[in-house]
Amino acid sequence: MSLNRRTLLATTGAALTAGALRPAFAAAAAPIRIGEINSYTAIPAFTLPYRKGMELAVAQINADGGVLGRPLELLVRDDAGKPDDTLRLAAELVGEQKVDVLAGGYLSNVGLALSDFALQNKRLFVAGEPLTDALVWQKGNRYTYRLRPSTYMQALMLVEEAAKLPAKTWATVAPNYEYGTSTVKWFKQLLLARRPDVKFVADQLPPLGKIDAGAVVAAIEQAKPQAIFNVTFGADLTNFVRQGNTRGLFDGRAVVSVLSGEPEYLEALGDEAPSDWIVTGYPVVGVTDKANTDFIAAYKAKFNEAPKMGSVVGYSLIKSIAAGIAKSKSTDQDAMAAGFAGAHFATPFGDAMWRAQDHQSTLGTYVGRTALKDGHGVMVNWRYVDGASALPSDDMVKTLRPAG
Amino acid sequence: MLSTLAIQALTGLASASSLFLVASGLSVIFGVTRVVNFAHGSLCMLGAYLGWSVLSRLPHDPASFAAGVVMASLGVALFGAALEATLLRRLYRAPALLQLLATFAVLLVMQDGVQHIWGPADLPLPRGVWLRSFVPLLGERFPFYDLILIAIGPLVLLALWMVMARTRFGVLLRAATENRDMLSALGVDERFLFTAVFALGAGLAGLGGALSLPENSANLGIDLRVVTDAFVVVVVGGMGSIAGAYLAAVLVGVMQAMGILLLPKASLVLVFVLMALVLVLRPQGVLGQKQTQENDGERFHRVRAAPPWQRIAGLAVVLLALAVGLAGGDFARSVLEEMAIAVLFAASLHVLLGPGGMISFGHAAWFGIGAYAVALTTSTLAAPLPLALLAGVLAAGAVAAIVGLVLVRLSGVSLAMLTLAFAQIAWAVATQWSEVTGGDDGILGIWPPSGLGARLFFLLCLCLSVGGVLLLRRALFAPFGYALRASRDAASRAAASGIDGAKLRLAAFALAGAAAGLAGGLSTFSKGSVFPGSLAIFRSVDALAMVLLGGVQSMVGPVVGALAYTGLFDTLLLASDYWRALLGITLLALILWRPQGLVK
Amino acid sequence: MSLFSAQNLTKSFGGVAAVRGVSLSVDAGEMVALIGPNGAGKSSCFAMLGGQIAPDRGAIGLDGQPLSGSPLDFARAGVARSFQIAKIFASMSVRENVQTALLAAHRRLWRFWRAADTQAMAEADTLLARVGLSTLAEQDAATLAYGDTKRLELAIALAARPRVLLLDEPTAGMARPERRAAMQLIASLAADGIAVLFTEHDMDAVFGFASRILVMDRGRLVAEGSPAEIAADPVVQAVYLGTPDGSQPRAAGLSAGA
Ligand SMILES: Nc1ncnc2c1ncn2[C@@H]1O[C@H](COP(=O)(O)OP(=O)(O)OP(=O)(O)O)[C@@H](O)[C@H]1O
Ligand SMILES: [Mg+2]
């Protein structure tokens, strides 16, 4: 069976990396293998563009001579959104495929499971999308790095806007798992610190992917909040917005919403995309700076479609890994675990780095408002918030991160 | 507050309608063919996708919407008829569980099939203006479409009732539901009737799927979500009763909506508690007919101890595992540990399915309780590994014994459904009681103590799994096992000879639960973590698949089945993106090729 | 006082009054036949006497003590039975069937270690010899001919060392010579002091072996007496051959069997 599996995997592996490998490398230069696990079937809206972003970065890096003179090779696995399956795949990638770096994750619980696996097996794990703070703080460990702005950072960015609103009573709705609960926790804590007069009058925690939107909207409506903080995304968000629109939940209410400005989620809403929500996201049609437009052009040239937020994350993830390995000058696990810290890397959103104190990258995101334009949701009045500016002080990080 | 409750109840009624459509289809199919159709949610999902394809091409007015929905429903009905004629027809003579497994395989294939055709992304249906409109109601805005849904439920109920009462087809349907032997006496072509019934049930499911589109995008999660809810409705309403299905759908829909308003943290557990309560108080369901089926002609085969060559082969396998595990790398070890755990898990289910004669759809419950007990004692009490494992065994065994008190009073499908309900309750608790269980995040970092070392833990895992299986085997060949089997073979004969079947079955539950708990506990340490997935319905079906693949007749069956299934699963999972479809097709092939299991 | 007795047993199933006020008694060493046409209520009586169903009304007594409860209680009190359609343990060998019954009788079921098929072997073989199944001890019980299945069930019932033995059509499905042998065996059990109550459609068996005969019709006991008395009883004639007013006979003829 083992032999059978290996041959099968060799074929899929080759297929995945066919575009990435270039004849420019000496036959002796063994590729650096990145084993990537993500929720390709569970969250396709995000992860499919994400995969393309990774492929673009691998192609670019290999065209430029690779890392440490070796090409990058990407092995991709689908965890179907299940942490149990993830661990099985991680063991296979590490044990059978001998990957040098583990990367990936979308859901926060999956990310935490991988991070725990990394610590136990002393393997480097670079998380792209999982947003929970626990990944770098409470449960942070020396083998785990995380790219995207965390729940704390996103909440902080949004609280700055939320605190300016007159609303005194708030309702929250969030998917019932680590990402949802963590974001709500920070939002409440940070908003109350700025606005002690604010009250939270309803909390809905529908199970991820299974929101009973009509009932949830009616339940929030009956609490009569002045503003709503939304953390749902994907299909849950679509259903929530539709019921909310019909039932008038958003009329005359401010809505602050995490990630909803990302094209993958706005697009699914079509002409029912809400107006004037305060969101984090990616104004892909609006950005004009060189880093962004170069990336968008290269992405369009390769895939013939506009990038989404997932594309940016996938692309930046590979870039950050390449930079980390280059700085570590080795693919030894402990060398990389130490060497990634402080590495700088280029992203479509500009330069970013791996913070040494908590292994969080300083990649930021955009904050703005939603609007409806030609029957599609877009982000307007946006500004880029650098991750570095939304991170707590070193002292606070020390108390938050027992692993040091 | 009162108007809020009323609005919430109406919202619940709206979701009850789609639920009713799907569940009534399931109920009709079960009533006539006695097949518990696990793929019923998949038919609903197919309806949603077909509906999306049709409706997104049609203009957005009500008439086109109605036409599109009907087309989708007819499409699914056709598909259902084809499914019945090509596959299920071959399985009516097979044991009920095998049919269930076959429909589960269909579910797997349809998952990948739908994904292949429509892609993995959710497909929200663009809503026309009328679908977005609302009516003012009790001072709130209530979706107009919800009102339509609320009306459709009773309309379909009425239509079905007319068909049942007024048409020859309906008469035959009722005859088949109430007394199957009557059918052949009436000189009816069973084959046509069964195909027609399957088409009807599938069409209803497809209708439910298409009608849910304006509120829920077409997505790949519909199948499992819907089928569990539909099971609840059918069981609560009474298998085969359409009016019961409506009543239960309303009950479940309203309860879910109210739960979100009043008990948002316990919304998942409520429906399964309802299901369990109904099964305990009235096993045939609220409006169901009592099923009289002492022993539906099942043939029990002679059970013998394994012949010498099988023992030698078993020993060789254990030695091989030992050699590979000790010499090989971490990954080989983790695969072997998983297989060893699967073997113990399957063997524990065999105790119930085989000698116990009890169908369990919820064996994951004991596995999961053991897994969580180990994780919790380790993480919160810092219990050493042996104590933690013991806690897992005891917790699972004790809960199985307590729940068993209720379980052993039932038999057949009611028993299976009650085990399912209980497993779902356990799953819901693990998912929603996040303060203790970590919810969907699970409990992490439960690795064996570093002093033990990976090789030693592997040894321990292998010893405990193999030892557990051997202990179960001993018990089954001891007087206990014979008495258990006697009660299964001929319940009234055994009782007349002074054999207390209920007590024996209770003990079998506790024993199987404890063994499954040990498997769960070992898996926690092997993976370093536990998640609600360890209690999920999929895990229960995994176990069933292992036992049935191998064969329930002997102890060797589940062992072979567990090895084959895990090996197959691992190979396919890593080999192809379409592993579900491949697994499903392989299962179907095995079922058709060897209905009695690999080991005869 | 009789060893085993029942007073006024009554049972209806939905609208069907299966048994209406039946009283009977059987003494140790007696061999009593309960006869009657199909549907008369014989098996329903047996079900109450064996504890399988609870009577709507009426009482059962063993040794002067009232007896009620589950089949387990009846079995433990010393009432053993066979069923009209013989029931045996199909997943076992013939000997294992008897061994299991013996282990139950010895209250040794709750053992989890020693293999059951090595226990009570000699005793099982003795019983098998008694019912004439010695040569078939190793055979799968499920593959027995119907007559042998009946014999095996008798051995299972005897394993409990019963004081009362209820046999519902013990010779059904047997050929004539077999049938005689089986009845002789049952008579020898009665001679050993067991109270035997049996039903039969075969009138040779009934009239040749019963020490006393009870006749049921439509749920009621219509006659009772020695074989000679019953053979001459006009009521019994009517039950079996139709009433003088010309209505159809309700059962096959006296000697035809069913
Ligand atoms: N469980 C039951 N439910 C409903 N009716 C029953 C049940 N058992 C027996 N009956 C009815 O009670 C009546 C007596 O049946 P019973 O089997 O006791 O007759 P019997 O004398 O044993 O007949 P046979 O000689 O055919 O065995 C019959 O009309 C039968 O249909
Ligand atoms: Mg009878």
Side-chain angles (χ1 to χ4, degrees):
Chain A
M1 188 185 85
S2 179
L3 189 122
N4 193 6
R5 171 186 301 170
R6 208 164 308 204
T7 20
L8 283 166
L9 281 166
T11 358
T12 26
L16 282 171
T17 52
L21 283 169
R22 293 290 160 90
F25 296 98
I32 294 173
R33 309 188 100 191
I34 301 173
E36 205 277 346
I37 306 174
N38 225 314
S39 305
Y40 291 101
T41 46
I43 321 274
F46 183 93
T47 47
L48 297 183
Y50 166 93
R51 186 166 175 168
K52 290 180 177 157
M54 289 195 299
E55 282 166 10
L56 176 63
V58 168
Q60 286 182 357
I61 289 168
N62 285 348
D64 290 347
V67 183
L68 307 178
R70 294 161 65 187
L72 293 184
E73 185 185 318
L74 193 60
L75 286 89
V76 178
R77 298 281 183 273
D78 174 26
D79 64 37
K82 294 187 194 140
D84 337 29
D85 287 358
T86 307
L87 292 173
R88 187 200 295 257
L89 294 166
E92 188 261 341
L93 283 172
V94 168
E96 285 284 272
Q97 305 302 322
K98 311 278 181 240
V99 297
D100 299 292
V101 178
L102 265 184
Y106 176 92
L107 300 174
S108 286
N109 51 354
V110 172
L112 284 173
L114 279 172
S115 146
D116 186 58
F117 175 88
L119 174 64
Q120 174 70 13
N121 293 280
K122 303 197 165 43
R123 311 291 308 193
L124 181 71
F125 167 54
V126 186
E129 174 71 13
L131 297 184
T132 177
D133 304 291
L135 204 54
V136 293
W137 293 349
Q138 296 96 301
K139 297 191 178 150
N141 62 58
R142 78 182 234 104
Y143 295 98
T144 301
Y145 285 78
R146 192 258 310 281
L147 179 70
R148 277 209 80 184
S150 65
T151 46
Y152 170 88
M153 295 160 78
Q154 305 247 2
L156 182 72
M157 293 174 192
L158 289 171
V159 158
E160 299 204 337
E161 304 295 323
K164 294 179 200 154
L165 299 170
K168 287 206 169 104
T169 51
W170 285 77
T172 68
V173 52
N176 189 13
Y177 76 109
E178 174 66 26
Y179 158 69
T181 46
S182 164
T183 309
V184 167
K185 181 194 78 182
W186 283 122
F187 184 81
K188 285 184 174 176
Q189 193 172 320
L190 294 168
L191 183 63
L192 283 169
R194 279 176 183 64
R195 289 280 303 274
D197 58 326
V198 154
K199 258 212 200 54
F200 287 88
V201 292
D203 291 303
Q204 280 291 328
L205 280 172
L208 174 65
K210 296 184 185 132
I211 193 171
D212 189 345
V216 166
V217 165
I220 296 178
E221 177 72 52
Q222 73 93 32
K224 303 271 178 257
Q226 287 160 348
I228 297 167
F229 180 58
N230 166 60
V231 194
T232 65
F233 58 92
D236 287 340
L237 177 69
T238 308
N239 296 341
F240 177 64
V241 168
R242 286 181 166 200
Q243 282 287 338
N245 282 345
T246 300
R247 292 178 186 245
L249 179 69
F250 310 128
D251 291 3
R253 288 200 175 101
V255 180
V256 174
S257 188
V258 193
L259 305 185
S260 307
E262 296 181 356
E264 32 275 78
Y265 308 130
L266 271 182
E267 244 171 43
L269 288 166
D271 65 344
E272 296 200 59
S275 288
D276 222 28
W277 283 19
I278 298 167
V279 294
T280 56
Y282 174 33
V284 63
V285 288
V287 289
T288 52
D289 59 294
K290 183 164 161 42
N292 261 315
T293 50
D294 280 356
F295 167 73
I296 294 171
Y299 190 91
K300 278 187 174 156
K302 191 167 168 74
F303 300 112
N304 205 19
E305 65 181 42
K308 305 212 162 73
M309 186 58 145
S311 322
V312 174
V313 175
Y315 182 84
S316 308
L317 178 73
I318 297 296
K319 289 281 199 178
S320 75
I321 291 172
I325 296 174
K327 178 171 169 291
S328 311
K329 299 202 173 55
S330 155
T331 53
D332 173 73
Q333 296 299 317
D334 283 285
M336 289 193 293
F340 265 54
H344 281 261
F345 49 92
T347 79
F349 295 172
D351 182 66
M353 68 165 292
W354 289 117
R355 284 170 32 125
Q357 58 269 54
D358 59 2
H359 293 186
Q360 168 69 42
S361 100
T362 61
L363 179 68
T365 193
Y366 291 84
V367 178
R369 300 211 175 222
T370 56
L372 200 59
K373 208 174 135 197
D374 310 325
H376 293 289
V378 291
M379 246 176 111
V380 295
N381 297 333
W382 46 263
R383 62 192 169 87
Y384 180 65
V385 183
D386 188 352
S389 71
L391 276 161
S393 66
D394 288 3
D395 286 346
M396 189 176 157
V397 167
K398 275 207 185 78
T399 62
L400 288 169
R401 183 177 160 98
Chain B
M1 189 62 195
L2 222 65
S3 71
T4 313
L5 286 180
I7 290 285
Q8 205 64 320
L10 284 174
T11 305
L13 268 183
S15 51
S17 274
S18 331
L19 196 54
F20 162 65
L21 293 180
V22 181
S24 61
L26 185 64
S27 199
V28 170
I29 291 176
F30 175 83
V32 174
T33 67
R34 290 288 181 273
V35 172
V36 178
N37 181 20
F38 219 92
H40 206 68
S42 314
L43 296 171
C44 173
M45 179 167 84
L46 184 65
Y49 275 94
L50 278 180
W52 184 88
S53 286
V54 174
L55 290 173
S56 53
R57 285 176 177 79
L58 291 178
H60 295 325
D61 59 282
S64 316
F65 181 81
V69 166
V70 170
M71 277 161 71
S73 166
L74 289 178
V76 180
L78 267 180
F79 180 86
L83 188 67
E84 198 278 342
T86 54
L87 177 70
L88 296 170
R89 177 171 295 179
R90 296 168 202 278
L91 293 171
Y92 290 129
R93 305 260 166 267
L97 267 181
L98 213 63
Q99 298 170 352
L100 180 99
L101 191 63
T103 58
F104 176 72
V106 171
L107 174 141
L108 290 174
V109 175
M110 283 182 72
Q111 268 251 325
D112 274 358
V114 167
Q115 182 180 332
H116 181 76
I117 296 171
W118 281 280
D122 291 353
L123 300 177
L125 179 74
R127 298 198 297 174
V129 180
W130 72 278
L131 283 173
R132 303 182 193 191
S133 62
F134 60 88
V135 285
L137 205 68
L138 302 166
E140 309 271 355
R141 285 164 54 166
F142 194 76
F144 175 62
Y145 185 68
D146 279 10
L147 287 180
I148 295 184
L149 282 182
I150 291 174
I152 283 179
L155 283 179
V156 171
L157 177 62
L158 190 71
L160 284 174
W161 180 79
M162 302 266 269
V163 169
M164 291 290 185
R166 301 280 164 81
T167 65
R168 177 172 156 76
F169 177 64
V171 172
L172 293 179
L173 256 177
R174 274 185 300 148
T177 307
E178 279 151 30
N179 184 354
R180 268 178 116 177
D181 303 328
M182 216 155 93
L183 267 195
S184 31
L186 287 173
V188 179
D189 180 3
E190 269 197 17
R191 302 212 299 180
F192 168 75
L193 184 70
F194 281 20
T195 310
V197 161
F198 218 88
L200 173 66
L204 286 168
L207 186 62
L211 282 173
S212 71
L213 273 176
E215 317 230 299
N216 264 310
S217 39
N219 65 74
L220 293 169
I222 293 178
D223 50 359
L224 270 185
R225 188 179 65 233
V226 163
V227 79
T228 38
D229 282 354
F231 274 158
V232 175
V233 168
V234 170
V235 166
V236 169
M239 289 265 181
S241 162
I242 292 174
Y246 183 70
L247 205 73
V250 168
L251 203 61
V252 168
V254 172
M255 209 166 93
Q256 262 170 342
M258 289 299 175
I260 284 167
L261 181 67
L262 304 172
L263 287 169
K265 295 227 154 148
S267 52
L268 288 179
V269 84
L270 285 178
V271 288
F272 298 111
V273 171
L274 173 74
M275 172 164 160
L277 275 180
V278 168
L279 279 170
V280 170
L281 299 176
R282 204 180 145 81
Q284 70 269 37
V286 176
L287 294 185
Q289 308 254 341
K290 226 178 194 140
Q291 307 272 338
T292 44
Q293 25 151 283
E294 155 121 336
N295 188 340
D296 49 358
E298 217 172 314
R299 290 269 141 266
F300 296 114
H301 294 257
R302 171 82 185 274
V303 175
R304 291 171 201 271
W309 73 266
Q310 281 184 358
R311 294 171 191 226
I312 294 169
L315 188 68
V317 168
V318 171
L319 289 177
L320 185 71
L322 210 59
V324 173
L326 291 181
D330 284 346
F331 181 62
R333 253 197 306 279
S334 74
V335 170
L336 287 172
E337 280 168 14
E338 196 184 321
M339 287 186 159
I341 289 164
V343 165
L344 178 57
F345 186 37
S348 71
L349 177 60
H350 164 77
V351 172
L352 302 181
L353 289 184
M358 293 176 280
I359 304 179
S360 167
F361 276 5
H363 207 55
W366 324 123
F367 184 91
I369 288 171
Y372 272 96
V374 164
L376 287 171
T377 45
T378 307
S379 67
T380 60
L381 303 176
L385 180 137
L387 275 187
L389 281 177
L390 187 66
V393 173
L394 292 181
V399 181
I402 293 166
V403 176
L405 285 175
V406 184
L407 288 172
V408 294
R409 301 203 335 231
L410 301 181
S411 65
V413 179
S414 311
L415 170 65
M417 287 295 164
L418 188 55
T419 57
L420 174 69
F422 182 74
Q424 289 294 98
I425 289 172
W427 168 80
V429 168
T431 307
Q432 286 195 308
W433 196 16
S434 29
E435 294 81 5
V436 171
T437 63
D440 274 328
D441 309 330
I443 303 174
L444 298 170
I446 315 293
W447 300 100
S450 45
L452 194 56
R455 283 199 174 73
L456 265 182
F457 176 75
F458 165 73
L459 261 181
L460 180 77
C461 185
L462 194 66
C463 287
L464 288 178
S465 294
V466 174
V469 172
L470 290 178
L471 280 179
L472 288 178
R473 183 188 171 281
R474 270 219 93 96
L476 293 184
F477 279 105
F480 167 77
Y482 271 77
L484 188 63
R485 202 138 49 78
S487 182
R488 170 201 72 177
D489 287 358
S492 41
R493 173 69 263 157
S497 287
I499 297 176
D500 189 345
K503 230 186 236 167
L504 288 160
R505 282 192 290 276
L506 182 60
F509 253 110
L511 194 65
L518 178 61
L522 288 171
S523 122
T524 299
F525 279 122
S526 171
K527 297 206 160 113
S529 55
V530 58
F531 301 96
S534 66
L535 292 148
I537 198 165
F538 258 110
R539 175 71 50 137
S540 295
V541 178
D542 277 351
L544 278 179
M546 292 179 208
V547 176
L548 295 176
L549 266 190
V552 281
Q553 306 294 351
S554 73
M555 196 85 199
V556 183
V559 173
V560 171
L563 294 176
Y565 188 77
T566 349
L568 191 67
F569 190 89
D570 274 353
T571 313
L572 295 178
L573 178 69
L574 299 175
S576 163
D577 285 345
Y578 289 108
W579 63 269
R580 283 181 206 84
L582 290 176
L583 183 65
I585 289 168
T586 318
L587 284 180
L588 284 177
L590 286 174
I591 289 168
L592 293 174
W593 173 51
R594 282 240 149 143
Q596 298 298 335
L598 295 171
V599 181
K600 283 200 192 168
Chain C
M1 169 184 297
S2 320
L3 174 66
F4 188 58
S5 64
Q7 280 84 44
N8 195 27
L9 286 184
T10 303
K11 180 78 194 176
S12 355
F13 299 103
V16 184
V19 179
R20 305 189 249 189
V22 168
S23 301
L24 55 82
S25 67
V26 191
D27 248 323
E30 246 195 320
M31 190 160 165
V32 179
L34 181 63
I35 64 170
N38 291 118
K42 305 181 294 291
S43 295
S44 303
C45 268
F46 268 43
M48 288 183 277
L49 295 172
Q52 277 74 34
I53 56 175
D56 296 338
R57 252 177 314 181
I60 299 163
L62 181 67
D63 245 352
Q65 300 296 316
L67 185 55
S68 65
S70 72
L72 296 171
D73 300 316
F74 280 69
R76 283 170 196 158
V79 180
R81 66 165 296 178
S82 73
F83 292 86
Q84 179 168 348
I85 295 170
K87 298 182 181 195
I88 46 113
F89 309 134
S91 67
M92 302 177 192
S93 73
V94 169
R95 184 188 287 121
E96 286 169 344
N97 265 271
V98 183
Q99 284 173 302
T100 306
L102 284 167
L103 287 166
H106 300 165
R107 305 282 182 101
R108 274 171 29 202
L109 291 179
W110 291 87
R111 314 273 157 117
F112 294 79
W113 194 251
R114 231 182 90 208
D117 61 356
T118 60
Q119 303 184 40
M121 261 176 112
E123 210 178 332
D125 285 339
T126 312
L127 277 172
L128 286 176
R130 180 139 201 202
V131 301
L133 285 177
S134 290
T135 52
L136 299 176
E138 305 290 339
Q139 193 168 323
D140 291 4
T143 62
L144 289 181
Y146 189 65
D148 290 335
T149 308
K150 284 252 151 198
R151 268 193 276 269
L152 175 56
E153 200 191 17
L154 180 60
I156 292 175
L158 289 178
R161 294 182 176 278
R163 304 168 69 196
V164 178
L165 190 56
L166 310 171
L167 302 173
D168 200 345
E169 303 192 13
T171 70
M174 292 185 188
R176 195 156 289 247
E178 266 189 300
R179 194 172 273 178
R180 263 205 90 66
M183 287 312 298
Q184 270 158 357
L185 168 64
I186 294 165
S188 76
L189 295 171
D192 288 352
I194 300 179
V196 177
L197 178 67
F198 72 103
T199 73
E200 251 320 323
H201 283 292
D202 180 69
M203 290 305 151
D204 290 345
V206 172
F207 287 91
F209 290 90
S211 46
R212 192 152 52 87
I213 299 174
L214 310 172
V215 185
M216 274 188 87
D217 184 33
R218 301 180 215 198
R220 287 186 205 286
L221 218 50
V222 292
E224 178 172 0
S226 69
E229 287 164 0
I230 293 298
D233 191 321
V235 179
V236 179
Q237 301 277 340
V239 164
Y240 274 94
L241 299 173
T243 45
D245 63 24
S247 67
Q248 288 300 305
R250 298 193 45 241
L254 272 171
S255 59

